Amino acid sequence: MAAPGRRRLWCMAARVARMIRIEALWLSVAPLDMRAGMDTLLAQVMRVFGQAQPHHAYLFSNRRGTRLKVLVHDSFGVWPACRRLNQGRCQWAGGQGGVVLTRVQFDALVLGLLR
């Protein structure tokens, strides 16, 4: 009886993933306090990238590189998500501004493949 429920949940998650289209991925190189809520993340997007574009995802990291937050704009609103890396950490040159990520780079960061 648990298997049909799991399958239904998986199908719902697949439908949601198809609905949230992401056309561009951006990485903010400045570290962010992970206690920041959605409004602070949106303000940071405005500061770094100018404005939040529909169907764009914005990725942030803490100073230690062990936590990631993603803010996705789906043209109706914004979706926050967070990820804690259990091993390793993300490292990139510090500073201000942002860079464009490819889908492969984004997947590697979110899945924790980069150390």
Side-chain angles (χ1 to χ4, degrees):
M1 196 149 187
R6 258 187 275 177
R7 179 163 171 70
R8 199 171 320 130
L9 182 62
W10 183 84
C11 289
M12 184 177 72
R15 283 193 304 258
V16 168
R18 284 193 304 264
M19 290 178 2
I20 301 174
R21 185 176 82 233
I22 298 175
E23 296 173 353
L25 304 157
W26 300 89
L27 169 68
S28 174
V29 295
L32 182 73
D33 184 356
M34 288 295 116
R35 296 174 292 179
M38 194 163 21
D39 293 331
T40 305
L41 285 172
L42 195 53
Q44 183 71 5
V45 167
M46 301 290 264
R47 211 176 2 263
V48 174
F49 302 105
Q51 65 179 356
Q53 297 285 333
H55 307 295
H56 286 211
Y58 303 93
L59 182 70
F60 302 92
S61 174
N62 65 346
R63 190 171 306 281
R64 291 174 44 202
T66 57
R67 294 178 189 262
L68 301 171
K69 272 200 177 180
V70 178
L71 190 71
V72 177
H73 189 304
D74 69 353
S75 79
F76 296 109
V78 291
W79 297 77
C82 59
R83 170 91 175 173
R84 184 183 77 199
L85 301 177
N86 293 324
Q87 295 178 350
R89 60 184 63 210
C90 300
Q91 292 181 324
W92 42 77
Q96 300 297 319
V99 294
V100 179
L101 294 176
T102 65
R103 185 61 183 221
V104 173
Q105 291 170 326
F106 179 79
D107 290 344
L109 280 171
V110 172
L111 294 173
L113 299 177
L114 298 182
R115 292 189 172 105

